[in-house]
């Protein structure tokens, strides 16, 4: 009888232990169907952030392949962990998930991809902000620690200009430099932004940048002012394997200097300093790799009619209760000569709505192409009331030849204020001074 009681007590105790373990797994988020392992990530960015003072004057402080320290600080980067189906399992700032780029995570057994970046520039054509990203795939095994290194590298092509003093002395400041990546992505440089670096999307299977230079000589006693135009093609020098295809991390510093042979004739010339991905050495591209066609227009298909240089799809237009009918409210803007300014003025007969706009700083005319202090408002989300979502974070409108002005989501806000008549007045100015505008009228009846 005692033996039977001991056996019964043992079975009962075993059941309690098993149940307790199961409850513990459930409380800790684990299940008997999963096994867990540890992942240690070492995230880094080895891009250069300092300029040798001995070479700073040589490059006018604009040395190719050197970046602001805040853009390479991986503590400011966002980390994503995705499972094999692309479902996000973990995300956050590296500074919040770890320390000095080292992040420790516990994950269920399986295949994962991790990526880290300073901002999501994957769909950005041109930006003043370099896009750094790193990614890696790995397998997590039960009760095993897996260490993975994720190195973030530049994903764009860097372009900058340096003007020699001789050029500044002999040419007016009405110059324009247009750079395109050979695949339809371009940026326009003038006196207002010549000191900035720009980062262009990497084209597919292209080996050269196209550069158009327009400048006007300063009149002298011996010669009147003269406009000069050159179209250059800058071929990337061959790498160690002989390849010349443009790639992420390529950096070009384009030097423009005066090259006059007499006091009555003045011209300019171009040299280019270049650095490969992850190379410290800066090389000068041979002159034979920089070709030009004097007198050839920048764009043979450029419209001669200023009115045709800027076109709208969806403007002017009028909508009634668009959110109620789920009607998209979109204007597609195309500017052959690239957008210089995109002015928007929002007016309404509803005082409540206008008060909200004024609170955002949008109660008067503003420029989406040059947002300045309004950028957080224009890129902020309507959902969390941090902005109005007219721009995506990191998106640049200036220099683009096309922009989609999409206020569909914005339409959901208007009915909250009751009946109103609202007008979005849009005016576009291109880099040649052409301008065109129109009104988007929104009527809310309820």
């Amino acid at each position: 009888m005692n033996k039977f009681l001991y056996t019964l007590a043992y079975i009962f105790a075993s059941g309690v232990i098993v149940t307790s373990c199961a409850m513990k797994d459930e409380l800790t988020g684990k299940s008997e169907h999963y096994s867990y392992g540890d992942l240690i990530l070492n995230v880094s960015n080895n891009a250069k952030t300092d300029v040798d003072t001995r070479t700073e004057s040589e490059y006018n402080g604009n040395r190719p392949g050197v970046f602001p320290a805040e853009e390479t600080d991986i503590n400011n980067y966002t980390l994503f962990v995705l499972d094999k189906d692309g479902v996000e399992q973990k995300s956050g700032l590296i500074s919040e998930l770890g320390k000095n780029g080292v992040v420790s995570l516990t994950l269920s057994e399986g295949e994962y991809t991790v990526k880290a970046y300073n901002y999501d520039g994957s769909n950005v054509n041109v930006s003043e902000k370099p896009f750094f990203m790193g990614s890696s795939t790995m397998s997590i095994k039960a009760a095993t620690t897996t260490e993975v290194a994720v190195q973030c590298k530049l994903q764009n092509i860097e372009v900058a200009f340096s003007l020699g003093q001789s050029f500044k002395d002999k040419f007016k400041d009405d110059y324009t430099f247009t750079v395109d990546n050979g695949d339809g992505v371009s940026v326009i440089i003038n006196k207002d932004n010549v000191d900035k670096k720009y980062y262009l999307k990497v084209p597919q299977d292209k080996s050269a940048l196209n550069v158009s230079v327009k400048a006007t000589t300063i009149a002298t006693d011996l010669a009147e002012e003269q406009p000069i135009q050159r179209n250059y093609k800058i071929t990337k020098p061959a790498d160690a394997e002989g390849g010349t295809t443009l790639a992420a991390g390529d950096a070009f510093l384009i030097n423009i200097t005066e090259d006059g042979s007499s006091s009555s004739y003045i011209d300019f010339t171009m040299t280019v300093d270049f650095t490969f991905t992850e190379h410290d050495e800066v090389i000068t591209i041979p002159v034979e790799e920089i070709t030009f066609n004097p007198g050839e227009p920048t764009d043979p298909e450029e419209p001669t009619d200023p009115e045709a240089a800027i076109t709208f799809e969806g403007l002017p237009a009028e909508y009634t209760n668009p959110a109620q009918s789920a009607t998209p409210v979109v204007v597609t803007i195309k500017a052959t000569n690239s957008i210089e300014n995109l002015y928007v003025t929002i007016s309404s007969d509803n005082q409540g709505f206008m008060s909200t706009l004024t609170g955002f700083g949008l109660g008067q005319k503003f420029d989406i192409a040059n947002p300045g202090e309004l950028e957080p408002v224009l890129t902020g989300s309507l959902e969390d009331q941090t902005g109005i979502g007219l721009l995506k974070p990191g998106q640049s409108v200036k220099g683009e030849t096309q922009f989609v002005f999409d206020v569909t989501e914005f339409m959901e806000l208007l009915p909250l204020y009751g009946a109103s008549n609202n007008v979005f007045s849009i005016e576009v100015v291109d880099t040649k001074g052409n301008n065109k505008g129109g009104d988007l009228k929104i009527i809310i009846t309820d």
Side-chain angles (χ1 to χ4, degrees):
M1 181 66 178
N2 289 336
K3 183 177 181 181
F4 173 76
L5 292 175
Y6 290 148
T7 302
L8 185 62
Y10 174 77
I11 293 173
F12 175 76
S14 299
V16 170
I17 292 172
V18 171
T19 303
S20 298
C21 291
M23 289 178 66
K24 181 180 179 182
D25 283 346
E26 184 175 345
L27 290 172
T28 57
K30 297 182 180 181
S31 165
E32 61 182 349
H33 301 296
Y34 294 96
S35 297
Y36 289 79
D38 293 323
L39 172 64
I40 298 178
L41 295 172
N42 289 278
V43 186
S44 64
N45 186 335
N46 298 325
K48 292 181 68 64
T49 59
D50 60 327
V51 177
D52 190 328
T53 55
R54 292 170 298 176
T55 62
E56 185 171 5
S57 59
E58 179 182 350
Y59 300 106
N60 291 334
N62 217 6
R63 191 177 190 274
V66 177
F67 308 92
E70 61 268 22
E71 299 297 348
T72 63
D73 184 356
I74 44 84
N75 289 302
N76 300 326
Y77 286 23
T78 305
L79 178 73
F80 294 88
V81 180
L82 310 173
D83 64 18
K84 64 179 181 180
D85 297 318
V87 178
E88 183 180 308
Q89 299 298 313
K90 188 75 174 179
S91 66
L93 288 175
I94 291 177
S95 60
E96 297 173 349
L97 297 174
K99 185 176 181 180
N100 296 326
V102 179
V103 177
S104 298
L105 302 171
T106 298
L107 300 169
S108 60
E109 192 172 27
E111 304 293 323
Y112 292 89
T113 297
V114 297
K115 65 178 181 178
Y117 54 58
N118 59 331
Y119 88 107
D120 187 2
S122 55
N123 294 316
V124 177
N125 288 331
V126 181
S127 177
E128 295 178 27
K129 187 181 181 71
F131 170 36
F132 288 101
M133 186 184 73
S135 65
S136 185
T137 58
M138 75 290 300
S139 296
I140 299 299
K141 296 181 179 179
T144 301
T145 298
T146 302
E147 293 192 29
V148 176
V150 179
Q151 185 175 357
C152 296
K153 301 179 180 180
L154 183 65
Q155 303 298 306
N156 323 98
I157 296 173
E158 179 186 281
V159 174
F161 278 83
S162 175
L163 302 186
Q165 189 59 49
S166 62
F167 178 86
K168 298 177 183 178
D169 291 341
K170 297 296 179 67
F171 287 85
K172 299 171 68 174
D173 63 1
D174 63 350
Y175 53 80
T176 59
F177 311 133
T178 304
V179 184
D180 78 72
N181 68 350
D183 199 25
V185 172
S186 64
V187 61
I188 295 176
I189 309 295
N190 55 37
K191 65 178 181 179
D192 297 324
N193 60 350
V194 71
D195 294 328
K196 296 180 179 180
K197 288 184 176 182
Y198 284 89
Y199 299 90
L200 277 60
K201 186 175 183 178
V202 179
Q204 289 190 351
D205 303 322
K206 302 293 182 181
S207 60
L209 295 179
N210 298 312
V211 181
S212 172
V213 181
K214 295 180 181 180
T216 306
T217 62
I218 296 175
T220 66
D221 294 338
L222 299 175
E224 297 180 351
E225 67 176 44
Q226 176 188 0
I228 301 175
Q229 177 177 340
R230 298 286 187 271
N231 291 304
Y232 296 88
K233 185 175 183 179
I234 305 173
T235 302
K236 174 183 172 179
D239 57 24
E241 287 75 36
T244 60
T245 302
L246 293 172
D250 290 347
F252 295 80
L253 176 62
I254 301 170
N255 309 289
I256 308 292
T257 58
E258 179 266 339
D259 184 28
S261 56
S262 69
S263 57
S264 61
Y265 175 78
I266 301 173
D267 204 340
F268 54 73
T269 188
M270 174 188 293
T271 60
V272 179
D273 296 309
F274 174 84
T275 181
F276 289 102
T277 306
E278 300 176 347
H279 284 207
D280 290 338
E281 182 184 5
V282 177
I283 64 175
T284 299
I285 296 180
V287 175
E288 58 267 22
E289 300 299 329
I290 306 173
T291 58
F292 72 90
N293 300 304
E296 181 181 311
T298 306
D299 185 353
E301 299 180 359
E302 182 180 305
T304 55
D305 179 11
E307 183 70 14
I310 303 172
T311 59
F312 298 133
E313 295 177 14
L315 194 73
E318 182 175 308
Y319 299 84
T320 300
N321 300 324
Q324 198 175 86
S325 57
T327 302
V329 181
V330 179
V331 178
T332 300
I333 300 165
K334 295 182 180 180
T336 303
N337 303 312
S338 303
I339 297 171
E340 181 69 23
N341 304 97
L342 175 50
Y343 297 114
V344 177
T345 304
I346 306 175
S347 58
S348 175
D349 61 3
N350 187 298
Q351 293 303 313
F353 177 51
M354 288 305 300
S355 295
T356 299
L357 288 176
T358 301
F360 275 127
L362 304 175
Q364 54 189 0
K365 185 177 181 178
F366 57 93
D367 186 358
I368 292 181
N370 302 275
E373 295 180 354
L374 288 177
E375 184 173 359
V377 174
L378 297 178
T379 58
S381 170
L382 280 169
E383 189 172 325
D384 58 18
Q385 298 182 349
T386 59
I388 61 174
L390 290 182
L391 288 176
K392 297 178 181 178
Q395 183 179 16
S396 176
V397 176
K398 188 171 184 176
E400 293 292 318
T401 57
Q402 179 172 314
F403 175 70
V404 178
F405 182 81
D406 188 346
V407 289
T408 304
E409 185 178 353
F410 192 80
M411 295 300 103
E412 298 178 3
L413 178 67
L414 294 178
L416 300 178
Y417 294 89
S420 61
N421 292 289
N422 312 279
V423 179
F424 292 71
S425 295
I426 299 172
E427 180 188 0
V428 178
V429 180
D430 69 14
T431 55
K432 291 193 174 182
N434 301 310
N435 67 83
K436 189 174 183 179
D439 289 344
L440 195 61
K441 298 180 180 179
I442 312 296
I443 301 171
I444 305 299
T445 60
D446 299 326

